[in-house]
Amino acid sequence: MISNLESASRIKSQFMANMSHEIRTPMNGIIGMTELTMDTELKPEQREYLEMVLSSANGLLTIINDILDFSKIEEGHLRLEYAEFNFRTTIYDTLKTLALSAHQKQLELICDIHPDIPDKLVGDPNRLRQVLAN
């Protein structure tokens, strides 16, 4: 019985990993084409919309990667990223994508970062975005 459960769990993890890879390819295409379009001459409003598309697409890519991470967690292979990143930019960009939804619900989204927190931090910016979005 345990062998069957382990086998089913392994099959599920492999399925999730395969599906994540299949979804990631077109998502990378969307991100790439959006970035190319942003390199053209755009009206400010169009640029803002494309920045939101890019941010949302990157957010979706993060979710896809989270599915892969779930598979890695089950296998005991998850690793956190340790990279220097701009804390404020990461926070503001993430919250900007959530602001429209908050506004539609007649909510005010406020971000107040203490001035003593440095701009550059070392950590996993994707995990930070995941925590904020969830």
Side-chain angles (χ1 to χ4, degrees), residues 5-72:
L5 292 174
E6 288 173 348
S7 178
S9 178
R10 202 170 319 128
I11 290 169
K12 179 188 72 165
S13 293
Q14 187 61 42
F15 173 77
M16 288 174 25
N18 289 340
M19 289 306 300
S20 297
H21 285 291
E22 294 296 323
I23 296 168
R24 190 186 315 182
T25 300
M27 185 53 56
N28 281 323
I30 292 168
I31 290 169
M33 294 307 295
T34 302
E35 289 172 341
L36 286 174
T37 304
M38 289 179 69
D39 288 339
T40 66
E41 190 173 323
L42 298 167
K43 296 176 183 175
E45 186 178 33
Q46 292 171 318
R47 181 163 304 283
E48 182 179 353
Y49 291 158
L50 285 173
E51 287 172 354
M52 291 179 79
V53 167
L54 188 58
S55 181
S56 294
N58 280 318
L60 186 54
L61 188 58
T62 298
I63 292 169
I64 293 165
N65 288 331
D66 290 345
I67 294 169
L68 281 173
D69 289 347
F70 181 75
S71 298
K72 290 177 184 177

Side-chain angles (χ1 to χ4, degrees), residues 10-11 13 15-16 24 26 37 39 53 69 74-75 77 80 89 92 96 106 108 110-111 120 122 125 128:
R10 202 170 319 128
I11 290 169
S13 293
F15 173 77
M16 288 174 25
R24 190 186 315 182
T37 304
D39 288 339
V53 167
D69 289 347
E74 287 186 329
E75 296 170 6
H77 297 120
L80 294 176
T89 300
Y92 294 142
K96 188 174 182 181
Q106 298 180 343
E108 183 178 18
I110 298 172
C111 178
K120 298 287 183 186
V122 175
L128 179 58

Side-chain angles (χ1 to χ4, degrees), residues 101-117:
S101 176
H103 178 72
Q104 289 172 338
K105 296 175 184 174
Q106 298 180 343
L107 299 171
E108 183 178 18
L109 183 60
I110 298 172
C111 178
D112 184 23
I113 300 172
H114 195 279
D116 289 346
I117 297 176

